[in-house]
Amino acid sequence: MSPAPGAHGSTSLLRDANEVLVAGILREDGPASRADLGRATGLSRSTIAAIVASLLRAGVLVEDGAVDAAARPQGGRPGSLLRFRPEVASVAVCALYQGEVAVTLCDASGAVRERSLIHVDLSSERCLEEVADEVERLAGVPGTPPLGAVTVLSPGLIDRRTGVCLSFPPYGWTDVPLKEPLARRLDVPVTVLSPPSAAVLGELADGAAVGHDEVLMVFLHIGLAAGAVTRGRVVHGAAGAVGELGHCRTTSSTDPCICGRAGCLETVAAGWAIDRKVRQVLRRKEIPHTLAGLAAVGNARVDGLLHEAAVEVGRATAWMVNMLNPSIVLLGGTAYAQGATAYFELFRETVRAEAISTGHAEPEFALVGPDSDIRGAIRAALEQLPEPVRPRRSFHV
Ligand SMILES: [Zn+2]
């Protein structure tokens, strides 16, 4: 590893850059001695000593036992191991669902410390106050690291820069600010993400897309949308309203859509539309709420609905594959799609049949499990923490 850049910067800037470098090595590569850090950075013993002392004072690092004697062939006074201290800060994720808000509190390494679920009327004026109350309650538990950043997962069209939900008709939302009121109340940076953008970030940071720079994800749940990564960073679009795959027109439907138009892909393939059609077919209210559960019903007409959905989503995805040339295509990311292997195989075969073949480096495919969006939202919050506490690599901020 080469030393940190900044040879022409001021002394304090240089020290800050080197503090970021040293904290990052310990955060991501695990405990190390001062001598290890000197070798990894090329910095002198005295510089490493000053940086480590500063980071210890700030609570970013902790001394964590002596270096194993076997690792000190020259003998001498045993050095101590230094460890990144995840208790230096916490982050919170607030996932807004219909009538419920799931709050997840993590330490600075992203490990979950607390989860809670509160009932909130999201169409009410006071809803964000209630969300902030719950974050403060969890963050106020004795022994909890100080809150450093928050991510809000919101449905609807999100303007990522302003953190405003531009539109979500089911809550009666038009131009509802989410970021600014929470940031003012909690006094920490707040970012607002759509679940599909968060999901692709989650898979990129520590899931199925690790090591990929070009990623496409179809996020399949009660609605249907896409997330994309190019050059290793999540695509947000001009106003953050990227990935509205579900509201592209399909030729196989003229049904009305929740967006107010008709014939959208969602009317064939979103969970809300499939649920509605399956209830009509089975003539009952109680039906399975997962694709795997619906496939297990064993009804030929239900199977036909799932078949049509998988083919139509595959066709739409083939357009995006031609557009973006991803190295991996992910499907799912939710409990709704978990274990939907037959659906996934039909989806994959449709994409392969309909997307143009480059003849080499064809994309991989993966069906991914639930919680991609929560993991991505945690990552987005961690990337908002101040240096030197935040992750070394940024996929989002
Ligand atoms: Zn629509």
Side-chain angles (χ1 to χ4, degrees):
M1 180 178 299
S2 58
H8 301 292
S10 71
T11 309
S12 71
L13 271 178
L14 259 180
R15 199 192 57 223
D16 289 349
N18 288 334
E19 283 186 3
V20 170
L21 180 67
V22 166
I25 289 169
L26 293 167
R27 187 185 197 289
E28 274 151 54
D29 301 339
S33 67
R34 287 168 177 80
D36 295 333
L37 292 169
R39 279 189 291 274
T41 60
L43 296 170
S44 70
R45 257 169 81 169
S46 61
T47 304
I48 289 287
I51 289 168
V52 166
S54 170
L55 291 171
L56 284 168
R57 273 196 306 278
V60 177
L61 305 185
V62 65
E63 306 253 14
D64 193 20
V67 176
D68 187 352
R72 293 182 295 111
Q74 317 89 325
R77 191 165 64 87
S80 61
L81 274 180
L82 297 154
R83 177 173 68 76
F84 177 75
R85 193 173 155 269
E87 303 83 8
V88 68
S90 63
V91 298
V93 168
C94 307
L96 313 185
Y97 302 115
Q98 206 140 21
E100 287 175 339
V101 176
V103 182
T104 307
L105 195 80
C106 304
D107 67 23
S109 72
V112 175
R113 292 178 66 99
E114 293 284 347
R115 289 183 198 272
S116 74
L117 190 68
I118 55 169
H119 294 274
V120 177
D121 177 4
L122 289 166
S123 59
S124 83
E125 290 269 306
R126 257 196 53 80
C127 66
L128 286 182
E129 290 291 319
E130 291 175 43
V131 172
D133 287 347
E134 182 61 9
V135 172
E136 282 190 336
R137 189 187 70 77
L138 290 182
V141 171
T144 303
L147 187 68
V150 171
T151 301
V152 176
L153 278 179
S154 170
L157 293 178
I158 307 299
D159 184 328
R160 176 175 162 262
R161 282 166 301 183
T162 59
V164 169
C165 178
L166 303 173
S167 170
F168 192 60
Y171 299 170
W173 282 5
T174 304
D175 296 333
V176 172
L178 300 171
K179 174 178 175 165
E180 195 272 333
L182 280 173
R184 196 178 52 220
R185 163 82 188 271
L186 297 169
D187 198 23
V188 294
V190 174
T191 193
V192 184
L193 275 179
S194 68
S197 291
V200 78
L201 174 58
E203 295 302 329
L204 180 67
D206 63 10
V210 167
H212 289 265
D213 286 334
E214 307 294 328
V215 185
L216 182 59
M217 179 167 188
V218 177
F219 187 72
L220 204 54
H221 59 142
I222 195 76
L224 191 162
V229 166
T230 70
R231 298 182 177 187
R233 292 177 71 88
V234 176
V235 177
H236 292 290
V242 76
E244 289 296 337
L245 180 68
H247 299 288
C248 296
R249 302 286 177 91
T250 167
T251 53
S252 71
S253 168
T254 53
D255 291 347
C257 182
I258 54 167
C259 70
R261 305 181 308 160
C264 295
L265 179 60
E266 283 212 357
T267 67
V268 180
W272 64 262
I274 291 178
D275 274 12
R276 193 176 289 176
K277 292 177 188 179
V278 168
R279 282 200 185 90
Q280 286 169 358
V281 167
L282 298 179
R283 295 170 188 271
R284 62 180 199 235
K285 272 191 167 173
E286 287 305 311
I287 58 166
H289 288 295
T290 63
L291 288 169
L294 290 169
V297 169
N299 178 290
R301 288 178 65 197
V302 172
D303 291 345
L305 290 171
L306 298 179
H307 187 281
E308 182 190 17
V311 168
E312 289 297 329
V313 175
R315 283 185 178 148
T317 303
W319 285 50
M320 292 198 296
V321 167
N322 284 357
M323 179 75 201
L324 294 170
N325 185 212
S327 59
I328 188 167
V329 178
L330 307 174
L331 180 73
T334 62
Y336 179 71
Q338 189 173 23
T341 49
Y343 185 108
F344 170 68
E345 280 163 22
L346 187 53
F347 163 83
R348 182 178 57 193
E349 293 320 308
T350 305
V351 178
R352 280 185 176 155
E354 304 225 352
I356 195 162
S357 171
T358 57
H360 59 89
E362 298 295 334
E364 296 171 29
F365 286 80
L367 177 65
V368 291
D371 292 339
S372 307
D373 54 344
I374 298 290
R375 286 187 287 112
I378 292 168
R379 176 71 188 203
L382 293 176
E383 290 189 10
Q384 293 182 97
L385 287 173
E387 288 181 320
V389 177
R390 71 168 66 146
R392 216 167 2 173
R393 182 163 177 196
S394 170
F395 299 111
H396 169 252
V397 171

